[in-house]
Amino acid sequence: MRVGVIGGGQLARMMIPAAIELGIDIRVLAESEGMSAAIAADRVGDYTDLETVLAFAREVDVITFDHEHVPQDVLRGLVDAGVAVHPGPDPLRFAQDKLLMRERLSELGLPVPDWARVEDAGELDAFIEAHGGRAVVKTPRGGYDGKGVRVVRSAAEVHEWFATVAEDGRGGALLVEELVDFRRELAQMVARRPSGETVAWPLVETVQVGGVCSEVIAPAPHSAGRMSDVAAEIAFAVADGLGVTGVMAVELFETTDERILVNELAMRPHNSGHWSMDGSTTGQFEQHLRAVLDLPLGGTGTHADWSVMVNVLGGPAEGSLADRYERALAEHPTAKLHNYGKAPRPGRKVGHVTVVGDDLDQVVYEARAAAAQFQD
């Protein structure tokens, strides 16, 4: 069994140990030399070039992804050439375009924030006025980790975005949504194989700092029962309705008026599922490989009452993460460190730490303290 991963980032890197355990031949098409997944990057090339991607795909049994940015014409060229692509171009277009995603989720009757497609400042200002004087504006394509998202009071605050999308050849519109009054952010990870089997991990709580995921608590505190059931039902409906194959994250809002709303989708392993590598029977990277190869999916139970993942953001001001190993590993023997092999840079995800245990306060403390050893 040979799996080809397009993209050489940390998600591809974390698929490698799972592939080794399953005896899967994993190969990576990296964007450049020295990326996180360099150990399995047998090719470096342009993922936007069909011939480059086809040459890579001919050496594997299935193609999957480290990111969702491969152009649709390349994806459809792979399918036309008989390549197994998971997830395929049809579901991926909803991950690539937030307007299409909102339209499809609304068609499926799934709970989403009130939203609109706006093509000029007048339409945007009208939406803002009708929604209490503030709204969230998003660029339909390309945003991640808080990029391409702004809370605004006036269309003037995103005037340059209108100019940009008017020139991108895709319709020249922005997505505007109500500013949701939420208690917390949640995420529901699921996996679906081409033959239809779908499984879910426990619902988790995510903590964002500056639009970037900082911590994940699994399971989300006080979520047992109806909340977990509703979140799983939503995620299963998304996976089935969009035809997703592989692992998917459905990012959610828990609102102050007791609703669960879909915020974003990620059709790949996701930061909110990293805890599962150490805290679940089947980690998300092993599960993703099983799913894209249409193998039976693994159990999603937990090893302890709680798992807490804390991202290492930025890293040391000087030196590397490895320079901190002696002290950090000695002081936090229960913490599991995952080093992404990336050079430290302010705000960059360079690794994460996971701690599991039965006392939530202790697990949170230990995870935060361990992560703090690697950043200044």
Side-chain angles (χ1 to χ4, degrees):
M1 293 181 287
R2 300 166 299 173
V3 174
V5 184
I6 297 178
Q10 66 259 27
L11 301 183
R13 178 188 182 97
M14 288 184 277
M15 291 183 205
I16 297 169
I20 291 171
E21 290 179 356
L22 290 171
I24 293 168
D25 179 359
I26 188 167
R27 305 180 187 184
V28 173
L29 174 63
E31 297 90 324
S32 59
E33 300 284 352
M35 295 190 70
S36 288
I39 191 172
D42 62 337
R43 284 179 182 259
V44 174
D46 182 3
Y47 65 80
T48 68
D49 179 69
L50 177 58
E51 289 307 314
T52 298
V53 176
L54 273 173
F56 173 68
R58 291 188 183 104
E59 299 178 356
V60 298
D61 299 312
V62 61
I63 287 290
T64 191
F65 309 94
D66 171 83
H67 57 73
E68 296 142 329
H69 307 311
V70 179
Q72 279 288 311
D73 61 336
V74 173
L75 295 171
R76 296 195 181 279
L78 288 171
V79 172
D80 291 345
V83 177
V85 181
H86 295 297
D90 286 333
L92 273 173
R93 68 192 180 99
F94 299 112
Q96 293 172 341
D97 190 313
K98 294 181 175 65
L99 278 167
L100 291 178
M101 182 262 289
R102 280 286 180 256
E103 290 170 0
R104 182 59 179 146
L105 294 182
S106 297
E107 290 171 357
L108 293 170
L110 294 169
V112 296
D114 194 19
W115 67 277
R117 173 192 177 97
V118 291
E119 298 186 4
D120 57 45
E123 291 180 348
L124 177 52
D125 279 331
F127 185 95
I128 293 170
E129 182 179 356
H131 291 80
R134 290 198 298 167
V136 179
V137 181
K138 300 179 180 180
T139 55
R141 303 175 68 89
Y144 66 97
D145 283 348
K147 299 177 178 66
V149 179
R150 289 182 190 170
V151 177
V152 302
R153 296 181 180 273
S154 166
E157 297 177 58
V158 289
H159 67 91
E160 78 278 17
W161 285 3
F162 277 115
T164 299
V165 296
E167 299 170 358
D168 71 359
R170 299 188 180 97
L174 297 174
L175 171 64
V176 60
E177 299 177 348
E178 65 172 305
L179 183 61
V180 175
D181 186 12
F182 61 89
R183 286 198 184 98
R184 58 179 174 169
E185 294 184 71
L186 306 167
Q188 179 64 68
M189 298 292 301
V190 297
R192 181 175 181 270
R193 56 189 286 207
S195 56
E197 181 190 7
T198 310
V199 298
W201 283 271
L203 179 67
V204 303
E205 179 176 346
T206 64
V207 179
Q208 316 293 319
V209 176
V212 179
C213 182
S214 175
E215 298 180 8
V216 174
I217 302 173
H222 313 296
S223 65
R226 175 186 171 276
M227 184 180 297
S228 290
D229 293 344
V230 169
E233 289 171 4
I234 290 171
F236 287 150
V238 172
D240 290 340
L242 274 57
V244 176
T245 48
V247 165
M248 178 183 67
V250 181
E251 298 178 70
L252 303 160
F253 292 128
E254 178 192 353
T255 69
T256 55
D257 59 357
E258 308 295 336
R259 293 179 296 159
I260 302 293
L261 302 177
V262 178
N263 179 24
E264 301 281 0
L265 304 178
M267 294 180 193
R268 51 174 169 73
H270 187 256
N271 205 162
S272 61
H274 288 350
W275 69 272
S276 66
M277 299 169 71
D278 303 303
S280 177
T281 303
T282 310
Q284 67 166 343
F285 296 98
E286 176 187 341
Q287 198 81 288
H288 186 71
L289 293 172
R290 290 188 186 211
V292 301
L293 288 165
D294 205 15
L295 296 171
L297 301 180
T300 54
T302 59
H303 297 315
D305 290 345
W306 302 101
S307 297
V308 174
M309 187 236 44
V310 178
N311 276 326
V312 179
L313 299 174
E318 295 182 1
S320 67
L321 267 65
D323 295 335
R324 307 287 180 93
Y325 281 0
E326 183 66 32
R327 178 177 176 182
L329 301 183
E331 293 185 3
H332 304 283
T334 63
K336 295 286 290 185
L337 170 68
H338 298 266
N339 184 337
Y340 300 163
K342 298 163 77 171
R345 189 176 69 201
R348 191 183 204 186
K349 294 176 184 174
V350 295
H352 73 264
V353 168
T354 303
V355 177
V356 303
D358 296 326
D359 183 315
L360 179 57
D361 290 341
Q362 181 61 34
V363 171
V364 169
Y365 169 79
E366 192 70 18
R368 289 176 179 172
Q373 296 275 9
F374 297 101
Q375 51 198 25
D376 296 320

